[in-house]
Amino acid sequence: MKRKVISAILCASMLTGMLAGCGGGSGSSSAAPEASGAGDASEAPASAGGEASDAGSEAGGSSAEAAEDFSGQELSILVSAGWMDNRYDETIARFEETYNVTVDLQTIPADQYSDLLQSKLTTDSCADIFWIQSNPFAIESVIVDPEKYCIDFTGAEWAAKMPESRLSSCEYGDKLYGLQIWHNSPEYVMVYNKTMFDELSLTAPTTYAELLTVCEKLAAEGITPWFMPGADGWQHQLAFFQIGGVYEEAKPGLYEGLNNNTETFADNEKMLEVLGQFKELSDKGYFGEDWIGTDSTNMSNEFGDRNCAMAMANSSFIKQIQEDTGTSDEFGLFLIPLGDNDTFPTNPAGPTMFGYNGTEHPELVKTFFNFVCETQSLQEILDNSPAYTNVHMNDDAVEQHWLPEEETFMSAIDESKMGTSVLQTGTKYTNDYWGDFGADMIAYCQGTMEANDVLKNMDSNRAEAASVVGDAAWQ
């Protein structure tokens, strides 16, 4: 492989989940994505404007013909750690060989990526391709001026492979700028040890009262009921944000009001209820001893050693527990029951790649986007993803690897409960303050902050972000 790797950062396996959990996820109401307009891998790719470029028309031909167009060129990709990982290695190697080019993959630590990207964009020194954690509002708030910084891919052939639910995170106005290749598994629901539950005559809770009863019985057996890695700084917030549907159900029109600045987080009764329940579980020790100082590094082993019974995780974490520990226990999934939630964490967000409008190699960028959407590439990306069981693209030719537990879980949920996005990506500027909210939640659990002040701080932060982008609703 010719690829140069700059700052190749290895992340803990849960980091990938974080970057998605703060925005990756299920965008449809069925377990298996529906295929529509799926292209064949042998079809000649089209250019961004929909017209076949020289590079695109050669993509279906011989490697020699393709190499003649781009031979010796270098394609640079700027990405946050965890968003590409090894899953793209095989596809990138084929791309380099097919076109006789070098891919310069610049992987940046997650805590440095946002500032570096902004610096690169504003100084006109960005890589040919860059990524953001996108959602329906992120192009406006993160990129700010997509017409200046992004290649317009409107009409690109690969657009037909993206499910409709993903397009909202890739479009701005009436133009297509991004490509999101993500999965459609349930993200950050409750994973539990089904064998252990059966042994203790417990059933998966569907209400908060039932959760308390289950936690009490597990704690009496010396088992941590709900493993909560507070030291990671990003996971515990999921208990509040992944149940956005229950807030909308409690106050219909809440999301619209939050996006139009006619509603607030502060004084929201259901949100206060959920925060209070979270603190009660913490006070009772049901998150484990010193959960605030515990990270997720050893979470799969905690399950394998039967030290804990439940945790918030992606559904594919079941596979990781089994592979890491060799346990023969069976596992299942249920919805986070805080606030008596019964809504599915629908999420159109995820890591998304964009072409830099200032690139010296626009046709090579377009060709790369075409290339990664071919069936062979999608299959490689899925097969080389240790954590994910499917790829959410309209392509019937891709062999998906759904877990039986995923299919059972999703088939049992009413489709009417799958229409509301998680709170962090369904409302403007919320996800931008994920870390701040998490720190405030911990302060609340430690008794140094009131619940409503946690919510007020989010309102203040969102207002600040809205002011920066000149959102008229906050003027």
Side-chain angles (χ1 to χ4, degrees):
M1 184 185 295
K2 302 175 184 176
R3 174 164 55 96
K4 296 195 304 184
V5 180
I6 296 179
S7 301
I9 306 300
L10 294 177
C11 301
S13 61
M14 292 301 292
L15 176 58
T16 302
M18 176 270 289
L19 297 166
C22 300
S26 300
S28 81
S29 60
S30 62
E34 294 181 5
S36 61
D40 185 88
S42 64
E43 292 174 352
S47 69
E51 299 176 0
S53 67
D54 290 341
S57 63
E58 299 289 352
S62 69
S63 297
E65 292 173 329
E68 188 177 337
D69 291 327
F70 303 120
S71 181
Q73 292 187 22
E74 180 176 281
L75 180 74
S76 56
I77 302 176
L78 185 69
V79 63
S80 178
W83 291 352
M84 292 185 80
D85 288 344
N86 296 334
R87 77 192 75 170
Y88 280 83
D89 282 359
E90 191 173 342
T91 300
I92 288 176
R94 276 198 311 107
F95 182 77
E96 290 177 320
E97 182 178 357
T98 300
Y99 295 102
N100 193 25
V101 297
T102 299
V103 174
D104 175 13
L105 185 59
Q106 304 170 16
T107 304
I108 309 301
D111 60 349
Q112 302 172 26
Y113 183 74
S114 180
D115 289 342
L116 179 64
L117 174 61
Q118 293 305 318
S119 174
K120 292 287 188 181
L121 289 175
T122 56
T123 58
D124 299 323
S125 60
C126 197
D128 301 312
I129 294 171
F130 65 92
W131 292 62
I132 70 168
Q133 176 68 24
S134 195
N135 62 54
F137 310 107
I139 292 179
E140 178 182 12
S141 64
V142 176
I143 300 176
V144 182
D145 190 354
E147 289 192 359
K148 177 179 179 180
Y149 297 121
C150 302
I151 292 176
D152 180 1
F153 287 109
T154 304
E157 185 175 342
W158 51 260
K161 286 205 174 185
M162 271 204 301
E164 185 69 28
S165 57
R166 298 263 165 218
L167 288 172
S168 63
S169 296
C170 301
E171 296 177 326
Y172 182 75
D174 58 353
K175 296 180 179 179
L176 174 66
Y177 292 110
L179 169 61
Q180 187 178 118
I181 300 176
W182 202 231
H183 61 90
N184 196 33
S185 292
E187 284 198 328
Y188 293 101
V189 292
M190 299 298 290
V191 172
Y192 74 106
N193 189 318
K194 189 173 184 297
T195 301
M196 182 186 293
F197 269 50
D198 290 343
E199 291 170 355
L200 298 174
S201 300
L202 300 174
T203 57
T206 59
T207 65
Y208 179 65
E210 291 175 0
L211 176 65
L212 276 181
T213 299
V214 166
C215 287
E216 181 180 4
K217 292 182 178 179
L218 288 165
E221 297 290 331
I223 300 165
T224 298
W226 182 344
F227 185 91
M228 184 70 70
D232 283 6
W234 60 266
Q235 291 211 50
H236 57 283
Q237 300 96 307
L238 293 160
F240 179 87
F241 287 105
Q242 290 293 100
I243 59 173
V246 81
Y247 305 129
E248 178 67 21
E249 284 189 351
K251 193 170 189 180
L254 174 66
Y255 275 46
E256 182 179 1
L258 288 171
N259 289 330
N260 292 324
N261 195 28
T262 59
E263 290 284 354
T264 62
F265 278 65
D267 302 315
N268 183 286
E269 292 182 7
K270 180 59 74 170
M271 292 182 181
L272 289 169
E273 175 189 324
V274 169
L275 285 175
Q277 291 173 352
F278 186 91
K279 186 175 187 300
E280 181 177 20
L281 293 170
S282 175
D283 290 345
K284 289 180 177 292
Y286 293 158
F287 292 151
E289 224 175 290
D290 186 31
W291 70 268
I292 294 172
T294 301
D295 63 32
S296 62
T297 305
N298 203 40
M299 194 162 92
S300 61
N301 288 327
E302 288 293 300
F303 270 105
D305 293 338
R306 303 186 120 218
N307 293 329
C308 70
M310 303 178 288
M312 291 180 297
N314 295 331
S315 57
S316 55
F317 188 64
I318 292 173
K319 183 173 67 172
Q320 183 177 335
I321 296 170
Q322 294 167 336
E323 292 178 352
D324 286 353
T325 70
T327 180
S328 59
D329 286 350
E330 294 183 357
F331 295 84
L333 305 165
F334 64 89
L335 295 168
I336 298 170
L338 297 183
D340 295 339
N341 171 61
D342 63 353
T343 64
F344 184 81
T346 298
N347 196 341
T352 306
M353 70 172 99
F354 295 79
Y356 177 50
N357 205 27
T359 178
E360 295 180 358
H361 312 291
E363 294 306 316
L364 184 59
V365 171
K366 296 171 188 178
T367 300
F368 182 79
F369 276 63
N370 290 328
F371 192 85
V372 298
C373 288
E374 293 176 357
T375 299
Q376 182 177 353
S377 300
L378 295 175
Q379 191 70 62
E380 288 168 346
I381 292 166
L382 173 59
D383 291 347
N384 292 312
S385 298
Y388 301 122
T389 62
N390 62 90
V391 60
H392 194 201
M393 295 289 278
N394 295 326
D395 192 336
D396 277 342
V398 173
E399 181 184 351
Q400 307 283 10
H401 309 309
W402 293 93
L403 296 176
E405 295 89 346
E406 290 180 304
E407 295 179 310
T408 298
F409 170 69
M410 295 184 74
S411 65
I413 298 175
D414 191 322
E415 287 191 11
S416 67
K417 298 291 185 176
M418 293 178 157
T420 304
S421 294
V422 293
L423 187 62
Q424 67 268 30
T425 56
T427 56
K428 291 181 178 179
Y429 317 120
T430 302
N431 197 53
D432 299 344
Y433 296 95
W434 187 265
D436 302 79
F437 193 89
D440 288 347
M441 282 182 72
I442 287 178
Y444 169 54
C445 288
Q446 293 176 324
T448 60
M449 181 179 287
E450 296 298 321
N452 208 35
D453 289 333
V454 176
L455 301 179
K456 287 179 180 178
N457 282 352
M458 176 57 85
D459 289 329
S460 297
N461 287 333
R462 293 177 68 244
E464 181 179 346
S467 175
V468 168
V469 301
D471 193 315
W474 272 263
Q475 300 301 311

